[in-house]
Amino acid sequence: MFQPEIETLPRERLRALQDERLRKIVAYVYERVPFYRQKLDEAGVRPDTFRGLDELSRLPFTKKQDLRDHYPFGLFAVPREEVIRVHASSGTTGKPTVVGYTRRDIEIFAEVNARSLAAAGARPGMMLHNAYGYGLFTGGLGVHYGGERLGLTVVPVSGGMTERQIMLIQDFKPDVITATPSYLQTLAGEFRRRGIPPEAISLKIAIPGAEPWTEAIRKDIEEGLGVKAVNIYGLSEIIGPGVSQECLEAQSGSHIWEDHFLPEVVDPETGEPLPDGEEGVLVFTTLTKEALPLLRYWTGDITYLIREPCVCGRTHVRMGPIKGRTDDMLIIRGVNVYPTQVEAVLETIPEVAPHYQLVVRREGTLDEALLRVELSEPVFRRITHEVLSDEVVEADHGLRAIREKIGQKIKETIGVTMRVELLAPGEAPRSAGGKLRRVMDERNLSA
Ligand code: ADP
Ligand code: ZN
């Protein structure tokens, strides 16, 4: 562990630390951020009488729109001159969300990423091939600083230019790779295409994050690159990567670094806190951030908390995999659908690969969902050597059966009818470096 004492702190002491820090941060934002002073006044919360953790749910939520409304620097709690770095998240529409860091924030950013890399199994002296994007995106620089802090040899490759990535991995022989899961799949596919077996790849650990991924993708990455894959999670608003990290020992849920980030899971409709294990929206209060402290930030990410002790000995609470963002939820013929639900169904069908695309259109007043799924390599090789056209599928009993099975399972588990198209390996979109959009919603719902 990078900081064994804090990572294994007994729960009561961790709670006491959170309580003390929460009181401080409430007073701090009340003092320094007009937006929060107003919100807290409206909620009837006064820093001098606020009773800490027990009253957490009295604090107002902060939403992405609040950051947009104060674009670019309006929620900063320090003078702009004390901000030594800014980052921004892409933002689906319009202006990006801008975040800032003081020198101390950057130190904490490095610290939580060093903790994360160590929890993933990285050790001082190892080499890290960092293929998260460098720039305004927090991924590249966050992991970079963490790697240096832990004492790794960091290769700041950034995303993209797959040819060069493959060359560098073969020449430098790194132990650890960090990249989005979809890009790790791209790299694994490229090694496979070149006939380089996993045993011939130096990598031992992959740390996918920045977008949802599933057990099937884990298997694809682990087998393709000959590694163990462990999740890293984060978001710019809270700090960037390193908010939580899956440990190598358990590979089962990601430890939230709770001395810095106080998590809650709340009901998406009512905002009421939910008990551990129940699925809802993940909400964070930053406990130590100076430049952009946030109270109860509504991430939109859907998951649940796991409070049971972990085999690794860390006491920090774990979160399950992210099912998706509320932003990513599709409503198809009135049914709520997350892309990860589609992935979960595909995982149960051995004849297909974990590569797909979901296209939603509106024909007249009716939503039409088209699920385009790649066949697995062995199935494709066994059944046909030609291009996989509709006619080929129609004429082939085995392929028709696979197609029907997919449609049926989707209908049974998600409750939506989808038209299924089978693709040859390599036909579904691949990541060229960063996050991959597997869903194309071509309905113009605002019109
Ligand atoms: P952008 O909004 O441009 O994507 P961020 O990089 O801040 O900017 O994205 C953070 C979001 O990415 C999170 O809120 C979450 O939805 C997603 N994300 C990050 N890490 C993971 C992960 N390990 N698993 C699933 N989703 C993740
Ligand atoms: Zn653990």
Side-chain angles (χ1 to χ4, degrees), residues 182 185 212-214 216-217 323 328 330 337-347 352-359 370-375 406 410 414 418 420-421 423-424 426-431 436-440:
S182 56
Q185 286 184 289
W213 57 297
T214 60
I217 296 178
K323 186 171 174 189
D328 294 338
L330 295 159
V337 182
Y338 285 99
T340 49
Q341 287 177 290
V342 175
E343 283 162 40
V345 171
L346 295 179
E347 260 170 37
V352 302
H355 295 287
Y356 75 97
Q357 183 182 41
L358 178 61
V359 187
L370 170 65
L371 179 59
R372 311 177 71 226
V373 191
E374 277 181 24
L375 285 174
I406 298 171
I410 293 274
I414 308 181
M418 295 189 184
V420 177
E421 184 186 333
L423 304 176
E427 280 192 327
R430 294 289 193 276
S431 163
L436 172 63
R437 281 212 78 82
R438 291 189 176 87
V439 177
M440 293 174 54

Side-chain angles (χ1 to χ4, degrees), residues 76-342:
F76 285 9
V78 297
R80 216 266 305 125
E81 294 74 14
E82 287 176 33
V83 171
I84 66 163
R85 169 106 61 86
V86 294
H87 278 290
S89 79
S90 55
T92 35
T93 47
K95 304 276 194 193
T97 306
V98 180
V99 300
Y101 305 74
T102 63
R103 188 167 303 282
R104 174 153 167 67
D105 291 337
I106 289 291
E107 271 166 26
I108 290 172
F109 197 17
E111 173 188 309
V112 292
N113 275 283
R115 261 191 224 177
S116 292
L117 290 164
R123 295 291 172 265
M126 285 186 171
M127 188 187 291
L128 167 66
H129 180 101
N130 183 17
Y132 281 118
Y134 281 69
L136 281 174
F137 175 57
T138 50
L141 282 164
V143 168
H144 182 105
Y145 274 57
E148 290 187 349
R149 175 65 68 85
L150 181 60
L152 307 180
T153 306
V154 184
V155 189
V157 194
S158 197
M161 296 207 270
T162 304
E163 294 272 312
R164 199 178 59 154
Q165 305 250 1
I166 300 280
M167 180 186 78
L168 293 178
I169 291 169
Q170 290 198 280
D171 294 350
F172 293 4
K173 307 202 181 341
D175 307 279
V176 185
I177 183 165
T178 42
T180 60
S182 56
Y183 194 53
L184 289 167
Q185 286 184 289
T186 296
L187 290 172
E190 191 52 33
F191 276 112
R192 209 173 288 140
R193 205 181 61 76
R194 294 174 183 218
I196 302 169
E199 310 82 72
I201 305 170
S202 62
L203 294 166
K204 299 180 192 75
I205 299 162
I207 314 180
E211 64 185 2
W213 57 297
T214 60
E215 290 304 315
I217 296 178
R218 193 197 302 266
K219 192 157 169 274
D220 197 41
I221 294 169
E222 291 193 335
E223 290 178 0
L225 296 174
V227 294
K228 286 281 179 196
V230 274
N231 184 52
I232 188 166
Y233 166 87
L235 65 165
S236 325
E237 293 87 334
I238 298 307
I239 204 159
V243 171
S244 73
Q245 174 67 47
E246 197 170 38
C247 58
L248 187 65
E249 293 91 331
Q251 281 192 309
S252 168
S254 305
H255 291 281
I256 297 170
W257 303 128
E258 275 186 277
D259 51 327
H260 296 298
F261 318 113
L262 179 65
E264 296 170 84
V265 167
V266 305
D267 184 302
E269 306 294 331
T270 65
E272 285 302 316
L274 293 173
D276 291 339
E278 272 185 44
E279 193 175 86
V281 174
L282 188 58
V283 167
F284 285 107
T285 300
T286 65
L287 294 175
T288 48
K289 281 249 300 280
E290 290 180 342
L292 185 63
L294 295 177
L295 301 183
R296 304 188 87 201
Y297 184 72
W298 188 279
T299 65
D301 293 326
I302 306 289
T303 188
Y304 53 91
L305 296 179
I306 308 164
R307 200 73 64 171
E308 283 87 65
C310 186
V311 289
C312 73
R314 291 178 182 84
T315 51
H316 295 224
V317 69
R318 282 173 289 164
M319 52 184 252
I322 303 284
K323 186 171 174 189
R325 294 199 227 196
T326 37
D327 305 5
D328 294 338
M329 190 186 77
L330 295 159
I331 303 180
I332 303 174
R333 296 194 191 179
V335 180
N336 297 354
V337 182
Y338 285 99
T340 49
Q341 287 177 290
V342 175

